[in-house]
């Protein structure tokens, strides 16, 4: 893939060509794709396998509680694996995370039911989710750091866009799989064995991702800064002591990013089906179309940020989300057109953030702390706001207060806007 552009140098214009290292970018992002495929299918197919692992009327709530609890292992994974990446390299850390995630997916896919082994069944589910939580905590920070560190300063937005191109593709695959299975199998078949197919597919994709990642080269930024990282003592405390503003900014915009992700990609699917009576086939189709749009917009939005800056793009995203999320929620009801509007508008706006997420997070911390800094504070934010999103929207809907969740997201968007307003512009700068 070759980019062409015209740049002025010394008053003269010259043609500049830059060849994207597509193989490297896709290899770095392949593991992230699997991470998010496995993570998404849990939320997407939970409506079918909840009763497999939990008995009684609270099966769905218990399944989401397990989903939420696993999130709180993400910060631990971010700290441990992020520090490992700062000390030993991005590549070995990314290989470890992909192995852990694929193993958890296979364990869920083959786990016996509650009727077969009693409470050992939900315990196996919980252990698999903990492994995936640890894995994802390390994967996000290290894949983000890798993409940012191999990018030229003036193209970091473009390189970063591959992170969510892979994520969106994986989520699209999960959504299409849900659509196909919902059309091909009866509800009884899905609840009995159909839900296992996506988890087993995750194991197969893990082998493919490991094969792709074996060719990655370590980043020069890591190599030149590794000795300093190894001399550092109390690195987590150092992020707070010497980079408190960066930590606060990361938490501020990651809060809204997390709420947007888990609202549109996870929570809305069971909410639309169980609380608003939408047809599951319509929901999966609308989500699939919107996810395709989400993937298509990543690279153009990443390139836009390289031209106009990160801050203006993030301000538009947070302001629009604050104003539109509650009106959009009123359209979550039966009907394909309504659902298409909700998912396409919500995910289309969200690309303003996702396309540059690795760049903006990596630009906050120096290389010696980048894996740990992103891993710890990003994943803590995700645990608090993302892990509770499906549980919260389900609980509020059960209490007849479903709209309150969307006001909660709007309030988060307002807070993020204020944080981003104070964010320094970092596009085009050299990583520290």
């Amino acid at each position: 893939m070759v980019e062409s552009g015209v740049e002025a140098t010394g008053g003269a214009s010259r043609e500049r060509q830059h060849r994207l290292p597509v193989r490297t970018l896709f290899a770095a992002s392949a593991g992230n794709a699997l991470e998010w495929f496995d993570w998404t299918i849990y939320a997407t197919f939970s409506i079918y396998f909840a009763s497999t692992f939990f008995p009684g009327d609270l099966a769905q709530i218990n399944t989401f509680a397990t989903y939420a609890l696993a999130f709180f292992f993400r910060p631990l994974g971010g700290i441990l694996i992020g520090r490992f990446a700062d000390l030993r390299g991005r590549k070995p850390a990314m290989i470890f995370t992909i192995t852990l995630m694929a193993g958890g997916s296979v364990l869920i896919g083959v786990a016996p039911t509650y009727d077969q082994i009693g409470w050992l069944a939900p315990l196996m589910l919980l252990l698999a989710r903990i492994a995936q939580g640890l894995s994802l905590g390390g994967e996000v920070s290290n894949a983000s750091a890798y993409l940012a560190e191999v990018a030229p300063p003036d193209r970091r937005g473009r390189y970063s866009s591959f992170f969510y191109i892979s994520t969106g593709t994986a989520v699209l695959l999960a959504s299409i799989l849900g659509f196909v299975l919902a059309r091909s199998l009866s509800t009884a078949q899905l609840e009995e064995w159909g839900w296992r197919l996506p988890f087993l597919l995750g194991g197969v994709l893990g082998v493919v991702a490991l094969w792709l990642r074996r060719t990655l080269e370590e980043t020069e930024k890591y190599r030149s800064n590794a000795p300093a990282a190894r001399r550092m003592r109390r690195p987590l405390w150092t992020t707070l002591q010497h980079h408190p503003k960066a930590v606060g900014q990361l938490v501020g915009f990651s809060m809204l990013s997390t709420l947007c992700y888990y609202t549109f990609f996870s929570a809305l699917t069971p909410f639309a089906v169980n609380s608003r009576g939408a047809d599951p086939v319509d929901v999966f189709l609308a989500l699939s179309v919107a996810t395709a749009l989400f993937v298509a917009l990543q690279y153009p939005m990443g390139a836009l940020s390289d031209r106009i800056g990160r801050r203006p793009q993030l301000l538009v995203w947070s302001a629009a989300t604050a104003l539109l999320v509650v009106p959009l929620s009123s359209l979550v009801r039966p009907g394909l057109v309504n659902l298409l509007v909700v998912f396409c508008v919500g995910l289309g706006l969200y690309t303003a953030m996702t396309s540059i997420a690795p760049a903006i997070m990596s630009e906050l911390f120096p290389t010696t702390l980048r894996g740990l800094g992103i891993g710890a504070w990003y994943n803590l934010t995700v645990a608090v706001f993302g892990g509770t999103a499906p549980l919260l929207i389900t609980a509020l809907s059960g209490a007849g207060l479903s709209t309150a969740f969307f006001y909660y997201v709007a309030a988060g968007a307002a807070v993020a806007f204020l944080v981003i307003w104070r964010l320094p512009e970092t596009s085009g700068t050299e990583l520290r």
Side-chain angles (χ1 to χ4, degrees), residues 135-349:
S135 172
L136 190 52
E139 172 67 19
V140 172
S141 59
N142 294 310
S144 296
Y146 190 92
L147 288 170
E149 289 173 5
V150 299
D154 61 340
R155 285 176 167 78
R156 199 174 294 128
R158 294 167 171 86
Y159 278 52
S160 294
S161 68
F162 278 79
F163 185 92
Y164 272 96
I165 288 175
S166 69
T167 299
T169 302
V171 175
L172 178 59
L173 177 60
S175 179
I176 292 174
L177 195 57
F179 173 72
V180 171
L181 291 177
R183 288 292 299 268
S184 304
L185 303 177
S186 67
T187 300
Q189 289 174 318
L190 283 168
E191 291 176 347
E192 184 177 355
W193 55 268
W195 64 267
R196 295 182 184 272
L197 299 178
F199 290 100
L200 295 176
L201 178 60
V204 175
L205 293 176
V207 176
V208 176
L210 283 171
W211 179 80
L212 288 171
R213 280 194 167 174
R214 84 195 195 286
T215 62
L216 288 177
E217 295 290 337
E218 195 54 76
T219 71
E220 288 299 324
K221 280 286 182 183
Y222 161 75
R223 286 174 177 163
S224 60
N225 286 274
R230 290 168 188 150
R231 290 193 300 269
M232 187 174 293
R233 298 292 178 264
R234 299 193 300 172
L236 185 60
W237 173 246
T238 301
T239 62
L240 289 173
Q241 185 177 26
H242 297 291
H243 307 281
K245 184 179 291 187
V247 171
Q249 290 165 341
L250 178 63
V251 170
F253 60 69
S254 294
M255 170 189 64
L256 177 57
S257 178
T258 298
L259 286 175
C260 286
Y261 184 94
Y262 290 100
T263 296
F264 291 102
F265 279 125
S266 297
L268 274 184
T269 298
F271 171 73
V273 174
N274 296 335
S275 299
R276 294 291 177 87
D279 186 336
V281 174
D282 285 346
V283 175
F284 282 127
L285 180 57
L287 180 57
S288 298
V289 171
T291 304
L293 174 66
F294 178 81
V295 173
L297 289 176
Q298 293 301 319
Y299 190 83
M301 294 300 286
L304 181 64
S305 79
D306 286 333
R307 295 188 178 95
I308 69 171
R310 320 282 190 234
R311 186 170 170 269
Q313 194 161 302
L314 294 178
L315 285 172
V316 170
W317 160 65
S318 56
T321 301
L323 294 173
L324 295 177
V325 68
V326 173
L328 282 175
S329 71
S330 65
L331 295 177
V332 182
R333 57 177 183 261
L336 178 59
V337 174
N338 292 333
L339 295 170
L340 281 171
V341 171
V342 172
F343 283 111
C344 287
V345 172
L347 291 179
L349 283 174

Side-chain angles (χ1 to χ4, degrees), residues 20 34 58 74 136 146 170 215 292 295 301 312 319 363 367 385 391 394:
L20 286 172
L34 173 62
L58 297 178
R74 283 186 59 166
L136 190 52
Y146 190 92
T215 62
V295 173
M301 294 300 286
E363 289 161 354
T367 303
F385 295 99
L391 183 61
T394 301

Side-chain angles (χ1 to χ4, degrees), residues 42-43 46 54 58-72 259 262-263 266-271 274-275 382-399 401-402 405 408:
Y42 183 97
S46 63
F54 295 98
L58 297 178
Q60 189 70 54
I61 291 292
N62 287 331
T63 302
F64 276 141
T66 303
Y67 182 84
L69 183 61
F71 269 79
F72 288 91
L259 286 175
Y262 290 100
T263 296
S266 297
L268 274 184
T269 298
F271 171 73
N274 296 335
S275 299
V382 171
V384 173
F385 295 99
T388 56
L391 183 61
L392 183 59
I393 195 171
T394 301
L396 288 173
S397 298
L401 300 171
S402 58
F405 177 82
Y408 168 63

